[in-house]
Amino acid sequence: MGEAPQKKKVAIIGAGLGGLSAAWALLRSERFTVDIYEAQDRPGGKGRTHRDEPEFAPIEHGLHAFGGYYHNTFFLLRKVLQGGVRDHLKPQHEVEFPVIRRDAETMVTRRWSPWEEEDETPGWDEYMRYEAPVAELVARLFEYLQRLRSEFESTKSRPMVDMGRLRRKDLPGSVARLIEAHRSNAGSGFLPGPDRDLTALDVAARIARGLPGQPRRSFSPDERGALAALARWSLGEGRVAFAEGPVGEPELLEDAERLCLACAVGILATRADRKGLQSLDCLDFREFLRRYGGEGVEELGLVRGIYDYVFAYRGGDRDRPALAAGVAIRMILLFFLDSRGAVQWHMVDGMGDSVVMPLYQELTSSNDCRFHHHHRLVELVCSDGAVAELRFKRRSHALPIVSDEGDANRCYWGALQISTDGHEEVTKSDYDAVVLAIPPLAQAGVVPERLTRGWAKMMGPELSVQTLSAQLWGPDAQEFGNVIRVGGGCGFPSVADMSHQLASSKVEGTDRRLYFFVEATAAGGVTEASVRQRVRETAGFEGYDPDRMHFQQNSDPSDLYVLTPPGPRCVRPGARVQGASNLVLAGDWVRTGLGFGCAEAAVASGFNAANALRRQYFPGDELLPVYNAGGPFRECQDDQ
């Protein structure tokens, strides 16, 4: 038998989730050794956590919650935590969105409760190899809306004036013929009996689903036209309406239905179910809704919540919203239709403690992985079409402080460890490959411009925005309860009760609640004093002591959030870099199919980077599965 191939040496620049995921995926193959270089004193990137003294309360980079569609992230955590995911993450069953009553010009919020699949979490092995094309998600969308409307009809607290009933004689001939064709394949149970009126959603859901038990991969031209006509009818003449009464859940149902139907109409009208959602990225999402959703849909509070969720404002200016339509629609489809267990999952401690720490411990347990903290990349040198040298500035090298606080089963990041001594220049030149896992602006003046041509437009300051994070400790604010609220309705775009993170702290007395205030900001446009004043003026927090607040302006180039505006600028690079044969990219700004920055995008990019190197150096190896709902499976595997 021949000797096993020598392991390849890989340098990973940046210890955010993208870099850590790449390291884990490479080590899993047992064919690589990995050195991870990080400029800070601890790993995690935008997910890092530290503890204040003496109360040992978690201090976060920002507000973190995992979507129920984070299948790659949960897949990683399932492997690292060996099945103990629910010890570190819990379902967040309450997410609030604002509802705008245009007639009264007032804003209120109501809670959104999605259906749950009991004892289920995202990212199990079998699901990772499943593909959900756009047509499948559209079919699920019509079924979802039909279910919401029928369930509300059976439990409504306010009478419906018009349920959008569609008489059979009103069906267009093409739709009627399509129904009969589907009935011949699906049997007599395809639609209710001839004596019962239908909603347009009844008909659309059954046409969209097609044959029972089979995933939808595409629609025929007749099906696409019929579904678009039924969706438009539901948005107009067949729109749900309610009797007068208190503002609340009915309006939220109506707004969610209008938003989802507008997305369906636009997908079908533009044939994006065949072309892919990326074909819609030439339009801003609000312009897309104006074209296909009818009057006022683009002004819904749900829409503003989506923009706030991904900080989609050029330069942090809320008067300049920018979000590619295809990216926004994918987010909606995944949020409503591809979540498992709950639409949001929160961490029981800080993200650095619940997610980064177990991954860090897993990596450091391997003899093939080494961490180098306090190493900031200052130059990446290329020669003969490959990376030849890495030059760093290194501060005094020390591992981050880790504390178990008396719990042998859990470890936490301690207080920040700041080095004040001078820098030492270090050069490394003995690596077979490099994973560049730092954001675009952090590469300026470091990576040769000829290598960054593929993502040069993303390096503009308007497309990398600063974020503000403020954490407030205090008594219970009854106005909020245990929820995440996005889209406004108070003094900040996003507010969340994150008190569950205090379980491991030493905070005592009445200050047992922890609230996060988060928003995108313009460079230099916010002061700590102004934030404290806004918190003081926010409804429900008038009695709070603003001095019990941690203020953080994330302005370092490595901490900025990369936007996805409409047009050519939204094209994100794949894992491979033209001009450097041994260089690959990772990070939530790299193309993964999602198109917006989040933990899931970072993890998927790390898997893609590892797959690219495994394919290059060991072409016969089986690649790690990368889940991508709503797009071609190969998009996540594509490293070109």
Side-chain angles (χ1 to χ4, degrees), residues 8 20 49 63 77 93 106 121 139 163 169 191 201 205 226 245 352 377 391 426 431 438 502 529 550 552 564 570 573:
K8 298 296 183 180
L20 296 179
T49 299
L63 170 60
L77 293 176
H93 294 313
T106 60
T121 57
M163 276 299 295
K169 66 179 184 180
L191 285 175
L201 290 177
L377 182 69
R391 296 174 183 173
V426 178
Y431 290 107
I438 55 178
L502 294 180
H550 171 76
Q552 184 164 320
T564 310
C570 76

Side-chain angles (χ1 to χ4, degrees), residues 266-340:
I267 290 172
L268 295 163
T270 59
R271 300 179 65 217
D273 59 299
R274 294 185 66 86
K275 298 178 181 178
L277 294 176
Q278 67 275 9
S279 64
L280 302 174
D281 284 336
C282 57
L283 292 175
D284 184 79
F285 184 46
R286 298 203 306 175
E287 174 60 29
F288 172 89
L289 293 175
R290 277 191 288 268
R291 291 189 184 187
Y292 301 107
E295 182 180 359
V297 176
E298 76 278 6
E299 300 298 333
L300 295 177
L302 287 168
V303 176
R304 186 167 56 256
I306 291 168
Y307 278 77
D308 289 336
Y309 189 71
V310 292
F311 308 112
Y313 303 97
R314 292 182 186 272
D317 184 350
R318 293 181 62 80
D319 292 328
R320 303 172 64 200
L323 178 60
V327 170
I329 294 168
R330 185 187 300 273
M331 191 188 315
I332 293 169
L333 294 176
L334 297 182
F335 183 88
F336 283 112
L337 307 172
D338 207 41
S339 292
R340 292 294 179 268

Side-chain angles (χ1 to χ4, degrees), residues 138-139 142-143 146-147 150 168 178-179 182-183 186-193 196 198-212 216 219 223 227 230:
V138 171
F142 282 115
E143 292 174 321
Q146 179 199 30
R147 177 175 178 175
S150 62
R168 290 179 182 275
L178 196 59
I179 290 174
H182 276 276
R183 187 194 300 277
S188 58
F190 180 72
L191 285 175
R196 177 185 162 185
L198 304 169
T199 69
L201 290 177
D202 286 331
V203 181
R206 285 160 174 80
I207 291 176
R209 170 46 57 207
L211 295 177
R216 263 292 190 177
F219 298 118
E223 288 172 331
L227 290 172
L230 291 166

Side-chain angles (χ1 to χ4, degrees), residues 592-607:
T592 61
L594 283 176
F596 59 94
C598 60
E600 173 71 353
V603 172
S605 76
F607 288 178

Side-chain angles (χ1 to χ4, degrees), residues 68-321:
Y69 55 89
Y70 281 20
H71 297 292
N72 293 293
T73 307
F74 274 81
F75 173 80
L76 171 63
L77 293 176
R78 279 171 176 269
K79 301 298 183 183
V80 171
L81 301 175
Q82 299 180 354
V85 172
R86 284 180 178 260
D87 294 333
H88 291 251
L89 292 102
K90 302 292 184 183
Q92 176 81 34
H93 294 313
E94 296 173 341
V95 180
E96 287 194 352
F97 292 99
V99 180
I100 297 178
R101 291 206 63 186
R102 285 166 293 278
D103 53 347
E105 295 185 353
T106 60
M107 181 182 295
V108 298
T109 58
R110 288 295 179 267
R111 298 178 185 181
W112 179 264
S113 297
W115 78 82
E116 303 159 20
E117 299 194 24
E118 188 175 358
D119 295 329
E120 192 172 296
T121 57
W124 65 92
D125 289 32
E126 294 81 1
Y127 201 81
M128 287 293 292
R129 300 180 186 278
Y130 174 73
E131 180 184 349
V134 178
E136 170 66 20
L137 293 177
V138 171
R140 290 188 204 172
L141 182 63
F142 282 115
E143 292 174 321
Y144 178 53
L145 294 176
Q146 179 199 30
R147 177 175 178 175
L148 281 183
R149 191 183 277 196
S150 62
E151 286 186 355
F152 187 82
E153 182 181 15
S154 64
T155 61
K156 57 182 179 288
S157 56
R158 284 167 50 191
M160 293 184 178
V161 176
D162 174 22
M163 276 299 295
R165 293 298 178 184
L166 182 67
R167 295 175 299 178
R168 290 179 182 275
K169 66 179 184 180
D170 294 333
L171 287 172
S174 59
V175 177
R177 288 192 296 273
L178 196 59
I179 290 174
E180 292 307 316
H182 276 276
R183 187 194 300 277
S184 64
N185 289 327
S188 58
F190 180 72
L191 285 175
D195 57 338
R196 177 185 162 185
D197 289 336
L198 304 169
T199 69
L201 290 177
D202 286 331
V203 181
R206 285 160 174 80
I207 291 176
R209 170 46 57 207
L211 295 177
Q214 296 186 13
R216 263 292 190 177
R217 302 216 168 263
S218 63
F219 298 118
S220 69
D222 286 344
E223 288 172 331
R224 191 179 298 110
L227 290 172
L230 291 166
R232 289 192 184 96
W233 196 88
S234 296
L235 274 168
E237 186 179 348
R239 183 172 158 187
V240 64
F242 300 91
E244 290 299 321
V247 177
E249 188 174 327
E251 282 73 18
L252 180 55
L253 170 64
E254 179 187 3
D255 286 357
E257 184 176 287
R258 292 178 64 196
L259 177 60
C260 292
L261 284 170
C263 292
V265 170
I267 290 172
L268 295 163
T270 59
R271 300 179 65 217
D273 59 299
R274 294 185 66 86
K275 298 178 181 178
L277 294 176
Q278 67 275 9
S279 64
L280 302 174
D281 284 336
C282 57
L283 292 175
D284 184 79
F285 184 46
R286 298 203 306 175
E287 174 60 29
F288 172 89
L289 293 175
R290 277 191 288 268
R291 291 189 184 187
Y292 301 107
E295 182 180 359
V297 176
E298 76 278 6
E299 300 298 333
L300 295 177
L302 287 168
V303 176
R304 186 167 56 256
I306 291 168
Y307 278 77
D308 289 336
Y309 189 71
V310 292
F311 308 112
Y313 303 97
R314 292 182 186 272
D317 184 350
R318 293 181 62 80
D319 292 328
R320 303 172 64 200

